[in-house]
Amino acid sequence: MSTATDQIRSRAGMRADRDTHFEVEQFYYEEADLLDAGRYADWLDLLADDLDYWMPTRTNRLRRQQALSVAARGEAAYYDESKESLAWRIRRFDSGMAWAEDPPSRTRHLVTNVLVRHVDPAEHPGFTADDLLVRSAFLVYRNRLEREENVFAGARTDVLRRTGDGLRVARRTILLDQNILLAKNISTFF
């Protein structure tokens, strides 16, 4: 007879069940809605206090050098943030001192191709098999002023932590498909 702990361990790395998958998709849809509505303070509530929010740059490489196409930790990144630094950015938006977001951009966040697995604690120290490893694709449309339009496409890998208040994003790695940022600025959250 196995214990509850053995059952949790046995889920490590396994695909999540249908109900959990639905829960994660609904979480992402709520997150997208908050971002599109400019409700950034509410969005922050969906992030864990020990958040690691990282968007590395990438370069074009030959096939044999693909492992080098994404910047490593400590190298160039569009975002390398904590919850505290994201909160600071959001306070700056509200101050009127963030010229890149005054007037504010209009965005539409689309999230798709959601794949949910239970975390394998051996691969993600500090997390348990109750936490979730989620990969998703995104498309973010941004319109600013009269004629500025940007489309950002890419993939995210998240670790979602279960808390008493629901799921929280504890780790997010964002990888844009483009290697040259064509936008005049990047003040959009992903």
Side-chain angles (χ1 to χ4, degrees), residues 6-126:
D6 291 335
Q7 291 173 347
I8 289 171
R9 282 189 194 132
S10 71
R11 292 188 309 192
M14 300 297 293
R15 181 179 291 167
D17 63 34
R18 175 179 40 194
D19 291 339
T20 303
H21 193 276
F22 180 77
E23 177 187 17
V24 168
E25 285 181 328
Q26 294 305 303
F27 176 82
Y28 281 154
Y29 299 156
E30 178 183 356
E31 180 187 25
D33 188 56
L34 291 172
L35 289 170
D36 292 340
R39 295 174 50 199
Y40 302 119
D42 293 333
W43 174 66
L44 279 174
D45 290 340
L46 299 180
L47 309 178
D49 289 340
D50 63 341
L51 173 73
D52 178 34
Y53 186 91
W54 184 52
M55 180 192 285
T57 59
R58 67 186 315 170
T59 57
N60 287 331
R61 298 286 184 149
L62 298 173
R63 280 188 195 278
R64 66 180 179 270
Q65 297 175 321
Q66 282 302 295
L68 302 173
S69 68
V70 176
R73 286 289 184 166
E75 296 180 352
Y78 295 114
Y79 287 105
D80 191 355
E81 307 287 340
S82 65
K83 184 175 182 177
E84 184 177 320
S85 64
L86 289 173
W88 179 86
R89 285 178 182 263
I90 290 167
R91 284 192 302 275
R92 190 165 172 267
F93 285 169
D94 295 337
S95 74
M97 299 302 292
W99 63 267
E101 280 302 314
D102 198 12
S105 298
R106 291 171 298 279
T107 62
R108 186 66 52 213
H109 289 73
L110 306 175
V111 181
T112 187
N113 297 16
V114 178
L115 300 171
V116 184
R117 293 192 173 277
H118 290 276
V119 167
D120 183 345
E123 294 178 18
H124 299 276

